[in-house]
Amino acid sequence: MRRKTWLPRLFFTVCALCLSLRLEAADPRTSAYPTEERLFHISRSVNRNLVCYDVRLTADGQLDTEDPVKVYWVNREEHPGETNGLNYFQRKMAYGYKLDRIADEGCYISLTAYPDRSLLLRREKGHYVCALLIGGRAGILRELYVKASPHNPLSVEYVELRGESLEDGSALTERISR
């Protein structure tokens, strides 16, 4: 008789826990809204909004070498899930990119805010990724985290590159201070 009392309680407790974890994972304030085309995103210390970089493909599924990246904002605060394009200032001074050159394996781009490092857009295991050296190791970029100065949100203390190793899939991180 005693077993019958705790078994339903355990069942309902486990169900409630699973439901709460599922709801937390779907929370638009924390979700990165990943897409099939997502190369990487930029998150910042000043708010939870994201700047997303998605690969742009032609109708036949090949890399669009004229305009290979779609860049846009994902709102995770005022209007969670809403997307917006970049304005002129954001494109030219902060979050835009430049097509450096086209190569056999894909194309090289550089970010407006950090033109010193080239990023290679290439097909890897059936989908496009952004390959570069992270901490001296060949990796796939997943996120750039920008830590702004608490006294001046336009001043950057450091940028952290986050990704995974092309060799074994392990996590890679590199902090770049200005």
Side-chain angles (χ1 to χ4, degrees), residues 124 129-132 134 138-142 162-166 172:
E124 180 76 28
V129 297
C130 182
L132 77 158
I134 301 175
I140 297 171
L141 181 62
R142 297 292 183 210
R162 299 173 180 168
E164 59 193 55
S165 167
L166 276 168
L172 297 177

Side-chain angles (χ1 to χ4, degrees), residues 10-24:
L10 177 63
F11 174 75
F12 287 116
T13 303
V14 169
C15 288
L17 180 61
C18 290
L19 183 59
S20 70
L21 291 174
R22 184 176 178 193
L23 290 175
E24 183 179 321

